[in-house]
Amino acid sequence: MMKNLLTRLSVKKFHQLLLSGELSCRELVEYYLRRIEAYDHAGPCLNALILLNPRALEEADAIDAAVRKTGRLTGKLCGVPVILKDNVNTSDLETTAGSESLRGFTPDDDAFITKKLRAAGAIILAKANLHEFAIWGETISSILGQTLNPYDLTRTPGGSSGGTGAAIAADMGMVGIGTDTINSVRSPSSACSLVGIRPTIGMVSRSGIVPYSLTQDTAGPLCRTVADAAAVLEVISGYDKEDEETAWCADKKVDDYSAAVPETTLAGKKIGVLESFFGKKAEHQEVNAVVAKAISVLKALGAQIVPIKEEINSGWLTADVSVHLYDLKDHLNQYLQKLPARAPVHSLEEIIKSGKFHAGIKENLEQAMLHSVGTPDYNERLVLRSQVQTKLMQVFADHDVEAIVYPHQQQLVCEVGGAQKERNGVLCSVTGFPSVVVPAGYSQPSQTAPAGIPIGMEIIGRPWSEKLLLAIAETYEEKAAVKELPPFTPVLE
């Protein structure tokens, strides 16, 4: 019975069991630690987690004692074990951004969102692997190596937050945190059959997070359900004086996402389908078919589906509009220069000189050294970025739609050793608009993917429309019931 209670437990159900005395926080943490030992360190060896919190059980005991004493939860995420991407500062655990150049370094203070998680009663269970410095989307790092996809061990879990994605999909933690510069929360959500949220820029603080591009960076949840993702977003959102961009959310109500009553219909809602984000070649057809079926679910729920034929090229957005490589040197240096003297490196130049990084990011690091903020090329990209923001708002207005959908990735997540191709998440990254990725379905089963390879549908909205997007996502989730479990990480006996 206990085994059934613990499997893929939601935040809401866990809190019900915790308050009733049917389940303790210690029992839950022990469950996840057993699964980590069985599936991350052995068995399929997913290689998702860089390090575990050695005090997790101690923290669980303290929470159990507090709940027994008061009969109340200690916060909105009371006792919830969190998988935290290892570019988010933790004052009691190393923060490496996946790089050997930062091995052994523990920050003096938590990131703002780490403080928010702890204040809400969460337990940081583990720090997850990422594509080193969040630079690419395959989740390979010098500090841990390649993370594998629990649905197909020959494929990557997406990235850069693929360690978080693989761990949550494999039920090695209850909720996860990733960061997203171009695709990096939504890519592993799509590839691992999860719900991922990229919030409006300014909703979630980046202070204490190793940056890639503060123009585009944000943090967001990766969870198994929309409700869990909404609960995490509530906790990590809010104004932080150390991140001036969050001043934009100071007057926004960000504490009621999971309180919304799920809708039973989408009647009256107009949802656009961005046709230019669907591929036209043979390698795209399986993704197209799965996402088309997901869109048919929205239609069955009463939504009016509106074709959007404006040509938007995601490849052009990545290559010619995104400022990620232009920001990297300056913004990473800002973070590194503030580290205490005991930190092993204090600049991108020192990282390169150390040689302590994965060979796969060498070219990007060297390219970043050639760019800087404020140059004519950089400013031209910012002008294009502004034009794309206005163009996207015009698309919403012209078609009178409340949200727009498309496949997050036009073809299946890549195999180990390959590179992700034709991801569409860049549209929200360069504009700062919010989006939610939900599981759309799976490819046809194969020898390496017995349950099929997950495929995600992205739902985007105007700035600060998270509550609407979550309502659409949760209504879709209940009807679609996309629930194939990872075949290589079954329930433990």
Side-chain angles (χ1 to χ4, degrees):
M1 181 63 177
M2 180 63 73
K3 177 175 65 177
N4 293 333
L5 286 178
L6 290 165
T7 301
R8 299 177 73 82
L9 194 59
S10 70
V11 172
K12 181 179 180 179
K13 184 62 177 178
F14 166 53
H15 283 164
Q16 291 171 347
L17 295 171
L18 184 64
L19 289 172
S20 70
E22 295 176 76
L23 178 66
S24 70
C25 188
R26 168 174 271 269
E27 289 170 325
L28 179 64
V29 170
E30 288 177 336
Y31 165 77
Y32 289 132
L33 291 176
R34 287 195 299 273
R35 290 189 62 83
I36 290 168
E37 181 61 33
Y39 297 130
D40 202 50
H41 303 159
C45 294
L46 295 180
N47 214 33
L49 304 176
I50 290 175
L51 77 163
L52 303 180
N53 178 1
R55 293 168 297 283
L57 288 172
E58 180 183 331
E59 293 176 26
D61 289 340
I63 289 168
D64 285 332
V67 172
R68 284 195 301 269
K69 182 178 179 180
T70 66
R72 297 193 301 270
L73 301 174
T74 63
K76 289 184 177 180
L77 294 180
C78 174
V80 171
V82 176
I83 304 297
L84 190 64
K85 188 176 181 179
D86 194 34
N87 59 349
V88 181
N89 281 0
T90 42
S91 61
D92 54 351
L93 299 166
E94 291 181 19
T95 301
T96 69
S99 182
E100 283 286 351
S101 66
L102 285 170
R103 180 182 286 277
F105 174 68
T106 302
D108 288 338
D109 201 6
D110 284 339
F112 182 80
I113 65 169
T114 308
K115 293 175 183 177
K116 298 263 283 184
L117 289 165
R118 294 193 203 269
I123 296 171
I124 307 304
L125 180 62
K127 301 294 289 289
N129 197 29
L130 63 153
H131 206 108
E132 191 160 347
F133 288 113
I135 282 178
W136 274 119
E138 294 76 45
T139 307
I140 184 168
S141 69
S142 63
I143 207 150
L144 191 65
Q146 176 71 62
T147 298
L148 303 179
N149 190 315
Y151 284 89
D152 184 343
L153 301 179
T154 71
R155 291 183 184 264
T156 75
S160 63
S161 309
T164 302
I168 297 302
D171 204 14
M172 297 193 291
M174 186 171 290
V175 301
I177 296 289
T179 62
D180 192 307
T181 304
I182 307 179
N183 299 279
S184 298
V185 162
R186 295 155 297 154
S187 170
S189 298
S190 174
C192 297
S193 200
L194 299 174
V195 176
I197 303 173
R198 179 187 166 91
T200 305
I201 284 284
M203 179 172 282
V204 175
S205 171
R206 292 80 54 85
S207 66
I209 299 176
V210 183
Y212 188 170
S213 163
L214 291 174
T215 309
Q216 298 174 190
D217 285 349
T218 188
L222 294 89
C223 300
R224 290 186 290 270
T225 68
V226 174
D228 281 358
V232 173
L233 183 62
E234 284 183 16
V235 166
I236 64 174
S237 300
Y239 174 59
D240 172 18
K241 66 181 180 179
E242 298 299 322
D243 182 353
E244 59 189 22
E245 196 69 29
T246 60
W248 287 96
C249 83
D251 65 340
K252 302 290 189 296
K253 186 172 178 57
V254 296
D255 61 352
D256 63 348
Y257 295 127
S258 61
V261 177
E263 300 183 27
T264 57
T265 177
L266 296 179
K269 285 187 167 50
K270 294 174 72 175
I271 298 177
V273 177
L274 186 56
E275 294 183 351
S276 62
F277 272 22
F278 288 73
K280 305 295 191 294
K281 299 179 181 177
E283 61 265 29
H284 303 127
Q285 297 314 304
E286 197 159 20
V287 169
N288 291 352
V290 168
V291 176
K293 184 177 179 181
I295 292 169
S296 72
V297 172
L298 296 174
K299 186 175 182 179
L301 288 163
Q304 181 180 344
I305 304 302
V306 180
I308 294 175
K309 298 187 180 298
E310 278 83 349
E311 184 66 30
I312 301 177
N313 188 308
S314 58
W316 172 75
L317 292 173
T318 303
D320 296 320
V321 182
S322 179
V323 295
H324 55 286
L325 272 180
Y326 287 75
D327 280 343
L328 178 55
K329 178 186 68 177
D330 293 341
H331 293 173
L332 181 57
N333 281 350
Q334 289 174 19
Y335 170 88
L336 295 172
Q337 287 162 5
K338 292 178 182 178
L339 297 183
R342 59 186 170 79
V345 290
H346 292 88
S347 70
L348 177 56
E349 184 177 13
E350 288 183 16
I351 292 170
I352 294 172
K353 286 182 178 178
S354 77
K356 295 180 178 180
F357 54 86
H358 192 276
I361 66 168
K362 182 179 180 181
E363 182 179 352
N364 292 80
L365 298 182
E366 291 175 344
Q367 283 293 314
M369 288 296 295
L370 303 177
H371 297 296
S372 192
V373 301
T375 63
D377 285 350
Y378 180 83
N379 291 335
E380 286 177 12
R381 286 174 180 254
L382 292 185
V383 170
L384 290 174
R385 176 177 182 261
S386 179
Q387 292 173 350
V388 174
Q389 289 171 324
T390 300
K391 174 64 176 177
L392 186 53
M393 285 297 285
Q394 187 177 9
V395 169
F396 277 101
D398 286 348
H399 295 276
D400 190 27
V401 294
E402 298 184 68
I404 298 172
V405 299
Y406 47 77
H408 172 75
Q409 188 160 343
Q410 294 180 30
Q411 54 183 282
L412 298 176
V413 66
C414 74
E415 295 178 343
V416 170
Q420 306 302 349
K421 296 179 180 178
E422 299 179 303
R423 294 187 293 177
N424 291 323
V426 65
L427 179 59
C428 285
S429 300
V430 299
T431 60
F433 288 22
S435 71
V436 178
V437 162
V438 292
Y442 304 86
S443 69
Q444 290 298 311
S446 67
Q447 185 174 358
T448 60
I453 299 159
I455 295 165
M457 178 173 68
E458 189 158 359
I459 311 169
I460 77 170
R462 295 176 176 90
W464 312 108
S465 64
E466 280 82 355
K467 192 169 184 178
L468 168 65
L469 297 180
L470 289 167
I472 293 171
E474 189 164 22
T475 305
Y476 161 81
E477 176 184 71
E478 291 180 354
K479 178 70 172 178
V482 179
K483 294 182 180 179
E484 295 293 337
L485 303 183
F488 301 103
T489 57
V491 175
L492 291 172
E493 298 299 327

